[in-house]
Amino acid sequence: WGPCFFDVKHMLTSYAVYELPVGKGKAIGNDWNPVVRNIVGNWALSGIVTLRGGFASTIGGPDSSGTNSRGPRGNCNGPVNIYGFGTNSPLGGLQYMDPSAFSPAATGQFGTCGNGTLYGPGLKNLDLGLQKNFLLTERYRIEFRSEFINLTNTPAFNFENGAIGPNLGRITSTQGARQ
C-alpha cells in the first residue's frame, strides 16, 4: 500500500495578464499622436507560473525473497538525505539523494521499503507572453503575440534512478528544453 506513481503532494499553477496603461483610453498616451499611440500603446504581458512537487517513487532491489516478485523492494535503513540539484554524481549526472539509506533485502526476505516512500524532483516553470494590439478601427484590430515557454530555462528533471546499486539516486536526463 502506498501512493500511486503519479501522486503529487503540492501543485500550484497560476497566471496573470497585465495590460500596460499606455494607449487610447488609457492613463498614459490618450492624447498622443494616433500613429505614436498605436506603436507605443496597447501592449500586454502575461505569465504562467507552475510549481509542483515531485512524483512518488519506490526503491527497488533485487528479488531476495526467491518468489519471482514483480516489484521487489530494498530495505529502508533510516531517513533519506535529499541533496536536490546541487550535487554532481561521480558517475555523471546529478546525485539527487544519499543512497546509503537503502540496502538490498536479506536472502529469503522482502524489502522493508514501502511503495512510493520517496518523492522525486519537482518542477518550477515560468512562461511569459508579450502581446501587442494594433487598432485598425473601433471594431477591428491585428494582434501580435510572442510566447516564451520556460523563460528561465529551468530544467525539468526526470525520475531519479530508484534501483539499489551504484546508480541509486542519480538523475541522468531531463524533459525537453526551452522552446
Side-chain angles (χ1 to χ4, degrees):
W1 182 89
C4 190
F5 69 93
F6 57 82
D7 179 57
V8 174
K9 288 187 176 185
H10 303 98
M11 181 181 289
L12 169 73
T13 302
S14 184
Y15 73 94
V17 178
Y18 178 69
E19 198 171 305
L20 297 175
V22 178
K24 185 175 181 179
K26 308 283 171 75
I28 302 170
N30 189 38
D31 56 349
W32 291 355
N33 177 310
V35 174
V36 173
R37 185 175 58 216
N38 210 12
I39 292 171
V40 177
N42 302 317
W43 284 91
L45 290 171
S46 61
I48 300 173
V49 64
T50 303
L51 304 171
R52 173 182 52 79
F55 293 108
S57 61
T58 301
I59 302 300
D63 183 16
S64 302
S65 67
T67 61
N68 293 324
S69 173
R70 292 184 321 156
R73 299 191 184 117
N75 280 338
C76 290
N77 303 326
V80 181
N81 184 12
I82 303 293
Y83 298 142
F85 306 120
T87 304
N88 291 324
S89 171
L91 301 174
L94 297 173
Q95 189 67 42
Y96 181 69
M97 62 163 182
D98 182 5
S100 66
F102 306 99
S103 64
T107 303
Q109 295 185 5
F110 294 101
T112 60
C113 290
N115 185 47
T117 56
L118 184 70
Y119 280 81
L123 173 72
K124 296 175 184 172
N125 187 42
L126 174 64
D127 301 333
L128 181 73
L130 183 63
Q131 173 183 327
K132 166 77 170 121
N133 291 314
F134 294 94
L135 303 175
L136 301 177
T137 66
E138 290 288 326
R139 188 172 170 194
Y140 296 104
R141 69 177 182 189
I142 294 175
E143 180 180 286
F144 164 79
R145 184 174 190 89
S146 183
E147 295 181 348
F148 306 93
I149 307 301
N150 193 4
L151 177 72
T152 58
N153 203 23
T154 304
F157 291 102
N158 288 327
F159 267 33
E160 74 282 353
N161 185 312
I164 291 180
N167 292 321
L168 179 61
R170 278 183 59 216
I171 296 176
T172 57
S173 62
T174 63
Q175 297 173 21
R178 178 175 59 180
Q179 300 174 5

